Amino acid sequence: MKKKLLSLLVMLTGIPLATMASEADLVVPDLSMFKALGTNGWNLLAWGLIIIILGMFFGLYQFNRIKKYPAHKSMLNVANTIYETCKTYLLQQGRFLIILFLIIGAAIVYYFGFLARPAAAAEGGISVFGFVAVILLWTVLGILGSYGVAWFGIRINTLANSRTSFASLQKKSFHVMSIPLQAGISVGMLLITVELIMMIIILLFVPGEIAGASFVGFAIGESLGASALRIAGGIFTKIADIGADLMKIVFKIGEDDPRNPGVIADCTGDNAGDSVGPTADGFETYGVTGVALITFIILMFGQTGILPDPMMASTLIVWIFAMRVMMIVTSAVAYWINNAIAKARFGDKEKFNFEQPLTSLVWITSIISIIITFIVSYLLIGNLEGDLWWKLSFIISLGTIAAAIIPELTKAFTSSKSRHVKEIVNASREGGASLTILSGMVAGNFSAFWKGLVMMGLMAAGFFIVQDMTLFGAYPAIFAFGLIAFGFLGMGPVTIAVDSYGPVTDNAQSVFELSQIEKIENIDTEIEKDFGFKPDFKRGKHRLEDNDSAGNTFKATAKPVLIGTAVIGATTMIFAIILLLSKTMIGGEPMLDIALTSAPVLLGLITGGAVIYWFSGASMQAVTTGAYRAVEFIKKHINLDKKEADINDSKSVVKICTQYAQNGMWNIFAVIFSLTLAFAFFDPNFFVAYLISIAVFGLFQAMYMANAGGAWDNAKKVVEVDLNEKNTPLHDATVVGDTVGDPYKDTTSVALNPIIKFSTLFGLLAAEISIEMMVHADKTDSFNYAPVIGAVLFVVGLVFAYRSFYSMRIPKKATE
């Protein structure tokens, strides 16, 4: 496959093409032109770097605090085993990313080095070689950023899991909640600060002539890293999770039974899918949204923009990044306030609702962020015409409040306290697994309806505010939608924190069981002597299960925020293609033709939906076949007469999960890569419609699947924790529902976010290559090779789409 893709790229480089202004000519304006608070824009962002670095130290401080919390050596040993297995997995993924970079890097070298020939860079005295080298460097840094924060995430989570598990043995429950949340805010702070440092370095220290292209390279790199880690991690974790869970039905054993060889793989998967994937995805989401807004501003107000106004471009860019810096401050302050309130309310209680402190953290952060948005906007852009400062602040605040409202909607469908989850339990009791699955589908479909209406309402409100603005010419809605996506991320560290809460709580349960701490001789006396308290093992188990339910709920709350951002932000990136088409002439007429009566547009809309459904099937197929192999192996090798599973058997299950995660990812990436190029080469107008379609279809597919899966998961938790009916027919039915929901919520739904953004970002390059080929053919009256190459790439894509099922299906002998 790699040879085929590279040979296609080589074939492309052999076609001589004309050039035009494009992303290679996105010139970042001189930031010092903007003046506010007695200084210029460059100095403001330089001071912002200090705040960012302080935020990074805040995250590292939380990391060191967690390391110092006590835990019994039996739990620490299990946590270390999980971390070592995670390291092996992540190193394997690192090698995979190198291969992907070589493929994408070849496309970048061709486009920026041979096709675009950036005029602005040449005028700045920058050679083509130097220009391409800088873009490749930032692409690599984007990949390393996603990869690095993912590694940090698994490290802190595998430190926090054992500490949380041990804290459950104490009389009071506060630390069972506070430790996972502390780990989450550490990940969130480090993720946002690293991303901001990289982007501000581009703004401040990379020459404006190549800064725009550097941003594009950085965004492609982090999107590539996130896509690979998110998709492969989602496949890995659900193979392991299903393999381990089904043993509860087959052998009537408990959750995380040490005799089950699939449990270690499940623990690794908790981090691969629920930590590595979301952390890399979050890093990419914040970066790509920023790049989308910068691209729009430069296309509108840059030197060669629609309404050239370098001062306005400088002002808006500095304002946006000042707001990004302030999210670090607001998140830290909100975390401290919420922690103090939670400690006062729950610090002395033996039992409380673990969801309450997480909910209050989200709302406190949202309110503080909105207040700060208006204050900073008034100080920085209060002098702009038409009270622009409060209008733009209001639009951002629409996204910020949505980041609090959408989690509440998510809880209404996925929380263990919700009516929908109770409905699933009631249906399961009477109708078994079939009604379990149907009730979960109902919850998922309803959730997509209500969330879709909320997002539509927010975007409509943003459009209502900007519709009479002349500042943004004919495209005010595009900027408004980009700002709403930006507002979604206005409390970034906290959004990541509540998402990262889940893998810690999930692992904490496993650590408790795998350590077999309650079976250690004289353990009560040992703990009382060494740690100063008498352990309560029965209450500890219950707390961990209850806390895992809260983790499930809040893992679900972050997913629609990220997918919503991807879709709303994608509109800003698609705008760049639309603008290029409107400026490009073929036969004396603009290339742009995206009327709904245009056949290519209608065909593109249909094709986008088809690709979303193929991806859903391909990602779940990889899980299904891998889980079949894992279950087959575990059933053959499990030995219930032993105290714990053989370590080599556990490693074999991890190997199965890794193998199918890698195979599934290769097929998926090959299809997405090939079809993105193919559809762009067929017809750029068709391609614009295709990108819009995958964004819309992907949004609703992701919300439906994420919330159906979350509802099934917590229905199982209600049976296990609230009803205490393990190893009953009711429990079996909800376990089946949970295994169906596993790839729904943690494989397919979450991977749609990076897939949409990667297709859009890489699609910018693909569309411009196609347009250049058409322009060249028109000017020289020569044959247009674009559709021919598109046809070849389309066939390649179909081959791998075929392989995504037929090369990974469950063998015939299993059904004979």
Side-chain angles (χ1 to χ4, degrees):
M1 185 204 73
K2 289 173 278 185
K3 290 181 179 178
K4 289 180 182 178
L5 291 174
L6 288 172
S7 65
L8 286 169
L9 289 168
V10 170
M11 180 173 64
L12 289 175
T13 60
I15 302 171
L17 300 172
T19 61
M20 66 171 69
S22 60
E23 288 147 311
D25 292 308
L26 290 176
V27 180
V28 174
D30 181 2
L31 302 181
S32 63
M33 288 189 294
F34 170 63
K35 304 289 195 301
L37 302 178
T39 186
N40 62 49
W42 198 96
N43 290 334
L44 274 175
L45 293 186
W47 282 106
L49 272 176
I50 297 175
I51 297 175
I52 295 168
I53 291 170
L54 290 174
M56 181 181 289
F57 279 119
F58 175 89
L60 294 173
Y61 170 71
Q62 302 299 335
F63 178 89
N64 287 324
R65 281 187 66 194
I66 287 173
K67 284 181 69 176
K68 293 177 182 178
Y69 286 138
H72 191 267
K73 60 184 179 182
S74 63
M75 292 180 167
L76 292 174
N77 290 337
V78 173
N80 189 61
T81 299
I82 295 170
Y83 175 60
E84 290 299 321
T85 312
C86 289
K87 278 171 59 178
T88 302
Y89 166 77
L90 209 48
L91 287 170
Q92 179 73 13
Q93 287 299 91
R95 291 188 284 271
F96 180 62
L97 282 171
I98 291 172
I99 298 171
L100 294 184
F101 167 71
L102 293 176
I103 297 171
I104 296 299
I108 290 173
V109 169
Y110 169 65
Y111 175 72
F112 288 106
F114 295 92
L115 177 64
R117 302 171 195 239
E123 291 169 5
I126 302 167
S127 68
V128 172
F129 175 81
F131 184 76
V132 173
V134 170
I135 296 170
L136 287 175
L137 171 64
W138 282 106
T139 304
V140 171
L141 289 175
I143 295 172
L144 290 177
S146 291
Y147 188 75
V149 296
W151 195 295
F152 179 83
I154 63 165
R155 175 67 290 205
I156 193 167
N157 286 350
T158 50
L159 289 173
N161 59 12
S162 56
R163 274 77 178 176
T164 302
S165 189
F166 190 68
S168 70
L169 302 178
Q170 300 182 41
K171 185 177 181 182
K172 299 171 184 177
S173 297
F174 181 74
H175 284 299
V176 178
M177 177 279 300
S178 67
I179 294 173
L181 189 55
Q182 195 174 329
I185 199 67
S186 177
V187 174
M189 276 294 187
L190 199 84
L191 182 154
I192 299 298
T193 54
V194 169
E195 183 261 329
L196 274 176
I197 285 172
M198 288 182 170
M199 296 193 76
I200 290 181
I201 284 174
I202 294 176
L203 281 175
L204 297 183
F205 302 111
V206 175
E209 292 81 6
I210 59 175
S214 296
F215 274 123
V216 173
F218 177 67
I220 289 175
E222 58 184 351
S223 182
L224 179 66
S227 297
L229 294 172
R230 186 60 131 158
I231 295 170
I235 295 171
F236 182 107
T237 183
K238 294 304 107 179
I239 292 173
D241 199 353
I242 293 171
D245 273 359
L246 287 180
M247 296 307 105
K248 293 189 287 188
I249 297 175
V250 175
F251 294 104
K252 298 299 180 184
I253 57 178
E255 185 91 18
D256 302 314
D257 192 300
R259 298 169 296 179
N260 184 349
V263 172
I264 288 293
D266 188 18
C267 293
T268 303
D270 289 339
N271 289 283
D274 295 336
S275 177
V276 170
T279 307
D281 190 9
F283 182 84
E284 173 245 8
T285 297
Y286 287 85
V288 170
T289 306
V291 170
L293 285 170
I294 290 172
T295 301
F296 176 87
I297 291 168
I298 295 174
L299 288 172
M300 284 296 300
F301 304 111
Q303 295 175 9
T304 59
I306 301 171
L307 302 169
D309 187 349
M311 173 69 81
M312 180 58 70
S314 176
T315 298
L316 291 176
I317 289 173
V318 171
W319 167 68
I320 283 172
F321 275 86
M323 302 294 294
R324 289 188 145 218
V325 170
M326 290 311 299
M327 87 166 91
I328 295 170
V329 178
T330 57
S331 295
V333 170
Y335 174 77
W336 280 325
I337 292 173
N338 186 71
N339 192 59
I341 293 172
K343 197 165 188 178
R345 290 183 63 192
F346 309 119
D348 293 326
K349 292 190 175 181
E350 292 187 21
K351 183 179 180 180
F352 63 92
N353 184 351
F354 291 118
E355 290 184 10
Q356 288 184 3
L358 302 178
T359 301
S360 61
L361 175 60
V362 170
W363 279 102
I364 290 170
T365 310
S366 180
I367 292 167
I368 293 175
S369 296
I370 290 171
I371 293 170
I372 293 297
T373 293
F374 280 88
I375 293 173
V376 173
S377 294
Y378 177 76
L379 293 174
L380 295 185
I381 59 173
N383 61 340
L384 294 182
E385 61 182 73
D387 294 327
L388 192 64
W389 72 272
W390 74 260
K391 292 180 180 179
L392 296 184
S393 297
F394 190 85
I395 294 170
I396 288 178
S397 298
L398 289 173
T400 305
I401 197 67
I405 293 173
I406 287 175
E408 291 299 320
L409 278 173
T410 303
K411 287 162 60 181
F413 295 96
T414 64
S415 171
S416 59
K417 309 294 188 296
S418 74
R419 288 180 294 174
H420 280 278
V421 170
K422 290 177 181 177
E423 172 77 8
I424 293 173
V425 174
N426 292 335
S428 302
R429 189 180 295 280
E430 295 301 324
S434 61
L435 291 189
T436 303
I437 293 168
L438 289 172
S439 298
M441 288 179 173
V442 170
N445 280 300
F446 279 157
S447 72
F449 169 77
W450 289 109
K451 289 181 183 180
L453 285 184
V454 167
M455 289 183 185
M456 181 277 295
L458 291 167
M459 295 174 75
F463 172 70
F464 177 78
I465 293 170
V466 301
Q467 64 179 332
D468 295 327
M469 286 186 183
T470 58
L471 177 64
F472 299 105
Y475 308 102
I478 301 298
F479 191 56
F481 295 162
L483 286 181
I484 290 172
F486 178 79
F488 263 84
L489 308 176
M491 46 187 193
V494 166
T495 301
I496 299 299
V498 297
D499 187 37
S500 297
Y501 188 92
V504 176
T505 59
D506 203 347
N507 259 196
Q509 269 191 288
S510 303
V511 168
F512 188 103
E513 296 293 346
L514 290 172
S515 69
Q516 302 187 67
I517 188 170
E518 57 189 319
K519 297 178 181 178
I520 297 174
E521 190 175 353
N522 299 321
I523 187 62
D524 296 65
T525 305
E526 180 187 340
I527 291 176
E528 192 166 11
K529 177 184 176 183
D530 294 343
F531 300 99
F533 69 90
K534 188 175 180 63
D536 187 334
F537 296 107
K538 185 176 180 180
R539 188 182 295 272
K541 281 185 183 179
H542 188 84
R543 282 174 179 155
L544 292 175
E545 289 178 333
D546 197 17
N547 201 25
D548 187 31
S549 177
N552 289 337
T553 300
F554 277 86
K555 277 192 297 184
T557 63
K559 292 167 186 173
V561 172
L562 294 178
I563 187 64
T565 304
V567 172
I568 298 173
T571 60
T572 312
M573 302 300 288
I574 294 169
F575 168 75
I577 302 175
I578 293 173
L579 188 60
L580 183 58
L581 288 171
S582 68
K583 288 183 172 183
T584 305
M585 309 297 286
I586 295 286
E589 296 289 334
M591 287 187 69
L592 182 64
D593 180 16
I594 54 172
L596 286 178
T597 53
S598 172
V601 171
L602 293 173
L603 294 173
L605 294 174
I606 293 171
T607 305
V611 169
I612 290 297
Y613 278 89
W614 159 79
F615 173 77
S616 301
S619 53
M620 286 194 287
Q621 177 64 44
V623 172
T624 302
T625 308
Y628 165 78
R629 292 296 189 190
V631 168
E632 180 184 50
F633 180 88
I634 294 169
K635 286 168 68 176
K636 188 180 295 184
H637 292 84
I638 193 170
N639 187 341
L640 298 181
D641 294 328
K642 288 186 174 182
K643 290 184 178 180
E644 59 185 37
D646 185 83
I647 189 63
N648 290 326
D649 289 342
S650 296
K651 288 181 178 179
S652 295
V653 179
V654 171
K655 186 177 179 181
I656 291 170
C657 297
T658 304
Q659 175 189 348
Y660 282 91
Q662 295 279 306
N663 290 345
M665 180 60 210
W666 268 121
N667 284 325
I668 289 168
F669 177 78
V671 174
I672 295 298
F673 179 87
S674 299
L675 293 188
T676 299
L677 285 169
F679 294 154
F681 286 178
F682 282 158
D683 183 333
N685 291 296
F686 170 92
F687 186 56
V688 167
Y690 164 76
L691 291 178
I692 293 171
S693 180
I694 64 168
V696 175
F697 273 91
L699 170 68
F700 286 98
Q701 180 80 329
M703 290 193 298
Y704 154 68
M705 298 183 84
N707 291 302
W712 280 317
D713 198 348
N714 270 343
K716 183 191 73 171
K717 284 296 174 187
V718 168
V719 172
E720 293 175 342
V721 180
D722 298 340
L723 302 180
N724 195 24
E725 293 190 41
K726 291 183 180 180
N727 298 323
T728 64
L730 173 62
H731 186 224
D732 290 351
T734 56
V735 168
V736 171
D738 182 38
T739 56
V740 174
D742 278 337
Y744 261 50
K745 65 184 174 66
D746 291 326
T747 304
T748 302
S749 66
V750 293
L752 283 166
N753 175 28
I755 284 295
I756 290 169
K757 282 181 287 190
F758 177 76
S759 296
T760 307
L761 274 167
F762 187 63
L764 288 175
L765 301 183
E768 290 180 8
I769 293 172
S770 172
I771 292 168
E772 292 284 1
M773 295 175 73
M774 293 178 185
V775 170
H776 174 75
D778 182 62
K779 286 182 177 180
T780 61
D781 196 24
S782 59
F783 183 74
N784 178 19
Y785 287 94
V788 176
I789 298 172
V792 173
L793 287 165
F794 182 63
V795 171
V796 173
L798 290 182
V799 168
F800 283 100
Y802 181 90
R803 282 175 52 82
S804 65
F805 174 72
Y806 289 99
S807 69
M808 298 190 69
R809 60 182 174 175
I810 295 172
K812 276 188 177 181
K813 65 178 182 180
T815 59
E816 290 177 348

